[in-house]
Amino acid sequence: GDCAVHISAMGTGIPHLKVGDAALGHGLAALASLSKSDARLMAAITDSLSFEQACTLPTTWCTVHMSLLAARPASGHDVLLHAGAGGVGLTSKEYCHFIGNRAMANVGRPYKHFYLHKMGLAGRTLSSRDGSAFALGASKLLGSGRLRFSLNSLSADFIACTFALLRQDGRLCEIGKRAVWSYERHEAACCNHFTMIALDSTIDQTPWW
């Protein structure tokens, strides 16, 4: 799990860390007083981050980074961020702002819409509760355009609507676990691209990524 730690012991041949460093990353038994990790999954941090702040970063930022690597949207592309007020949603909004994407996001409660408006998405928030309202709002924002990328964690009608809003070279990156589409269903129904993002299995299989 996510952790922020002081390194008390380590092996050899690890140039980016040393004993006594503060670090963030992914560790085994991350809530215990002593945790073990692969050094490739850890990075040193400075005093600019508290431990409480640092331990919120690894999974959210790595998930968004994996998604953006898969989709590779460029500056000026339209992107859709589902559940935009959550940890991954806020991180992806910041990432897409850095790239220069035109982002829109869906959220539920009014105060979340207000929060995203203050974050720079005024007039570009959509419903995450009503699939029909979401589809209509997104279509109006896009006009004659289409999405290049969407990061999804919702289910049911929101998945089908999102695929319909993607352009032919667009990609939906799925981080949800429940009621998601299979690759077979997507291939039978759509002509754009679909990638399932699973950080936990990626860490197990390729920790050097």
Side-chain angles (χ1 to χ4, degrees):
D2 291 8
C3 61
V5 302
H6 280 300
I7 297 175
S8 59
M10 56 186 288
T12 59
I14 304 173
H16 65 289
L17 296 170
K18 63 181 184 295
V19 173
D21 278 352
L24 61 76
H26 296 275
L28 299 174
L31 297 179
S33 57
L34 182 65
S35 174
K36 292 184 178 181
S37 180
D38 188 317
R40 293 171 292 184
L41 302 176
M42 303 298 294
I45 58 176
T46 67
D47 293 339
S48 63
L49 281 176
S50 69
F51 276 63
E52 291 81 6
Q53 292 169 329
C55 69
T56 68
L57 301 178
T59 292
T60 51
W61 278 93
C62 288
T63 297
V64 172
H65 185 66
M66 286 177 62
S67 301
L68 271 291
L69 282 177
R72 296 192 178 275
S75 177
H77 283 162
D78 287 297
V79 303
L80 167 65
L81 312 173
H82 287 286
V88 171
L90 292 173
T91 299
S92 55
K93 188 269 175 192
E94 188 172 345
Y95 211 135
C96 289
H97 175 75
F98 173 76
I99 295 172
N101 302 140
R102 291 190 299 267
M104 63 182 76
N106 62 16
V107 288
R109 295 182 179 274
Y111 75 87
K112 294 182 179 180
H113 286 267
F114 177 77
Y115 182 73
L116 289 186
H117 289 180
K118 302 294 283 186
M119 293 281 290
L121 290 181
R124 298 187 65 81
T125 59
L126 307 160
S127 173
S128 66
R129 296 187 173 184
D130 185 324
S132 298
F134 157 72
L136 179 60
S139 297
K140 285 186 174 181
L141 285 176
L142 288 168
S144 60
R146 285 291 182 268
L147 296 170
R148 177 62 175 76
F149 163 64
S150 178
L151 181 55
N152 182 59
S153 59
L154 303 181
S155 57
D157 293 342
F158 290 94
I159 298 177
C161 289
T162 303
F163 278 127
L165 293 167
L166 285 171
R167 55 196 239 185
Q168 190 167 351
D169 64 342
R171 184 178 298 273
L172 185 150
C173 291
E174 177 64 76
I175 64 171
K177 302 294 185 183
R178 181 177 61 86
V180 300
W181 280 28
S182 65
Y183 284 117
E184 292 76 16
R185 181 177 180 182
H186 167 260
E187 186 175 353
C190 305
C191 60
N192 37 44
H193 304 287
F194 179 43
T195 301
M196 294 184 186
I197 303 295
L199 181 63
D200 48 359
S201 59
T202 301
I203 287 173
D204 289 339
Q205 296 166 14
T206 55
W208 56 86
W209 74 268

